[in-house]
PDB file of all heavy atoms in Angstrom:
ATOM      1  N   LYS Z 830     104.215  48.331  87.065  1.00  0.00           N
ATOM      2  CA  LYS Z 830     104.259  48.275  85.610  1.00  0.00           C
ATOM      3  C   LYS Z 830     105.682  48.575  85.172  1.00  0.00           C
ATOM      4  O   LYS Z 830     106.360  49.395  85.796  1.00  0.00           O
ATOM      5  CB  LYS Z 830     103.323  49.315  84.998  1.00  0.00           C
ATOM      6  CG  LYS Z 830     101.865  49.092  85.296  1.00  0.00           C
ATOM      7  CD  LYS Z 830     101.022  50.190  84.664  1.00  0.00           C
ATOM      8  CE  LYS Z 830      99.560  50.014  85.004  1.00  0.00           C
ATOM      9  NZ  LYS Z 830      98.742  51.100  84.477  1.00  0.00           N
ATOM     10  N   PRO Z 831     106.124  47.957  84.101  1.00  0.00           N
ATOM     11  CA  PRO Z 831     107.462  48.283  83.600  1.00  0.00           C
ATOM     12  C   PRO Z 831     107.525  49.760  83.166  1.00  0.00           C
ATOM     13  O   PRO Z 831     106.563  50.294  82.595  1.00  0.00           O
ATOM     14  CB  PRO Z 831     107.642  47.367  82.391  1.00  0.00           C
ATOM     15  CG  PRO Z 831     106.599  46.304  82.538  1.00  0.00           C
ATOM     16  CD  PRO Z 831     105.482  46.904  83.331  1.00  0.00           C
ATOM     17  N   ALA Z 832     108.641  50.409  83.453  1.00  0.00           N
ATOM     18  CA  ALA Z 832     108.804  51.824  83.117  1.00  0.00           C
ATOM     19  C   ALA Z 832     108.574  52.063  81.633  1.00  0.00           C
ATOM     20  O   ALA Z 832     107.938  53.045  81.247  1.00  0.00           O
ATOM     21  CB  ALA Z 832     110.184  52.308  83.529  1.00  0.00           C
ATOM     22  N   LYS Z 833     109.037  51.155  80.801  1.00  0.00           N
ATOM     23  CA  LYS Z 833     108.868  51.316  79.350  1.00  0.00           C
ATOM     24  C   LYS Z 833     107.393  51.407  78.991  1.00  0.00           C
ATOM     25  O   LYS Z 833     106.985  52.264  78.196  1.00  0.00           O
ATOM     26  CB  LYS Z 833     109.532  50.156  78.610  1.00  0.00           C
ATOM     27  CG  LYS Z 833     109.471  50.281  77.108  1.00  0.00           C
ATOM     28  CD  LYS Z 833     110.205  49.134  76.422  1.00  0.00           C
ATOM     29  CE  LYS Z 833     110.143  49.308  74.919  1.00  0.00           C
ATOM     30  NZ  LYS Z 833     110.877  48.263  74.221  1.00  0.00           N
ATOM     31  N   ALA Z 834     106.560  50.558  79.595  1.00  0.00           N
ATOM     32  CA  ALA Z 834     105.123  50.570  79.311  1.00  0.00           C
ATOM     33  C   ALA Z 834     104.476  51.864  79.797  1.00  0.00           C
ATOM     34  O   ALA Z 834     103.600  52.422  79.138  1.00  0.00           O
ATOM     35  CB  ALA Z 834     104.451  49.369  79.970  1.00  0.00           C
ATOM     36  N   VAL Z 835     104.911  52.351  80.949  1.00  0.00           N
ATOM     37  CA  VAL Z 835     104.359  53.591  81.496  1.00  0.00           C
ATOM     38  C   VAL Z 835     104.692  54.760  80.575  1.00  0.00           C
ATOM     39  O   VAL Z 835     103.818  55.570  80.239  1.00  0.00           O
ATOM     40  CB  VAL Z 835     104.882  53.847  82.922  1.00  0.00           C
ATOM     41  CG1 VAL Z 835     104.460  55.229  83.419  1.00  0.00           C
ATOM     42  CG2 VAL Z 835     104.396  52.774  83.875  1.00  0.00           C
ATOM     43  N   PHE Z 836     105.943  54.856  80.141  1.00  0.00           N
ATOM     44  CA  PHE Z 836     106.337  55.957  79.265  1.00  0.00           C
ATOM     45  C   PHE Z 836     105.645  55.866  77.905  1.00  0.00           C
ATOM     46  O   PHE Z 836     105.266  56.888  77.336  1.00  0.00           O
ATOM     47  CB  PHE Z 836     107.854  56.026  79.111  1.00  0.00           C
ATOM     48  CG  PHE Z 836     108.540  56.571  80.331  1.00  0.00           C
ATOM     49  CD1 PHE Z 836     109.370  55.779  81.093  1.00  0.00           C
ATOM     50  CD2 PHE Z 836     108.341  57.886  80.725  1.00  0.00           C
ATOM     51  CE1 PHE Z 836     109.982  56.280  82.229  1.00  0.00           C
ATOM     52  CE2 PHE Z 836     108.952  58.401  81.855  1.00  0.00           C
ATOM     53  CZ  PHE Z 836     109.773  57.593  82.616  1.00  0.00           C
ATOM     54  N   GLU Z 837     105.458  54.655  77.395  1.00  0.00           N
ATOM     55  CA  GLU Z 837     104.727  54.499  76.133  1.00  0.00           C
ATOM     56  C   GLU Z 837     103.287  54.980  76.280  1.00  0.00           C
ATOM     57  O   GLU Z 837     102.746  55.634  75.387  1.00  0.00           O
ATOM     58  CB  GLU Z 837     104.760  53.040  75.675  1.00  0.00           C
ATOM     59  CG  GLU Z 837     106.099  52.616  75.099  1.00  0.00           C
ATOM     60  CD  GLU Z 837     106.158  51.124  74.782  1.00  0.00           C
ATOM     61  OE1 GLU Z 837     105.155  50.400  74.991  1.00  0.00           O
ATOM     62  OE2 GLU Z 837     107.222  50.677  74.329  1.00  0.00           O
ATOM     63  N   SER Z 838     102.681  54.671  77.413  1.00  0.00           N
ATOM     64  CA  SER Z 838     101.305  55.115  77.675  1.00  0.00           C
ATOM     65  C   SER Z 838     101.224  56.645  77.744  1.00  0.00           C
ATOM     66  O   SER Z 838     100.306  57.255  77.195  1.00  0.00           O
ATOM     67  CB  SER Z 838     100.812  54.507  78.988  1.00  0.00           C
ATOM     68  OG  SER Z 838      99.557  55.013  79.328  1.00  0.00           O
ATOM     69  N   ILE Z 839     102.194  57.251  78.390  1.00  0.00           N
ATOM     70  CA  ILE Z 839     102.232  58.718  78.490  1.00  0.00           C
ATOM     71  C   ILE Z 839     102.389  59.325  77.103  1.00  0.00           C
ATOM     72  O   ILE Z 839     101.684  60.267  76.741  1.00  0.00           O
ATOM     73  CB  ILE Z 839     103.365  59.176  79.425  1.00  0.00           C
ATOM     74  CG1 ILE Z 839     103.050  58.782  80.866  1.00  0.00           C
ATOM     75  CG2 ILE Z 839     103.596  60.690  79.311  1.00  0.00           C
ATOM     76  CD1 ILE Z 839     104.213  58.954  81.823  1.00  0.00           C
ATOM     77  N   ARG Z 840     103.308  58.780  76.327  1.00  0.00           N
ATOM     78  CA  ARG Z 840     103.521  59.298  74.957  1.00  0.00           C
ATOM     79  C   ARG Z 840     102.252  59.171  74.122  1.00  0.00           C
ATOM     80  O   ARG Z 840     101.898  60.074  73.374  1.00  0.00           O
ATOM     81  CB  ARG Z 840     104.680  58.558  74.293  1.00  0.00           C
ATOM     82  CG  ARG Z 840     106.030  58.953  74.825  1.00  0.00           C
ATOM     83  CD  ARG Z 840     107.165  58.289  74.050  1.00  0.00           C
ATOM     84  NE  ARG Z 840     108.417  58.463  74.727  1.00  0.00           N
ATOM     85  CZ  ARG Z 840     108.984  57.554  75.514  1.00  0.00           C
ATOM     86  NH1 ARG Z 840     108.422  56.367  75.681  1.00  0.00           N
ATOM     87  NH2 ARG Z 840     110.121  57.796  76.130  1.00  0.00           N
TER      88      ARG Z 840
END
Side-chain angles (χ1 to χ4, degrees):
K830 296 179 182 177
K833 183 177 181 178
V835 172
F836 286 114
E837 285 174 1
S838 174
I839 291 169
R840 286 185 191 98

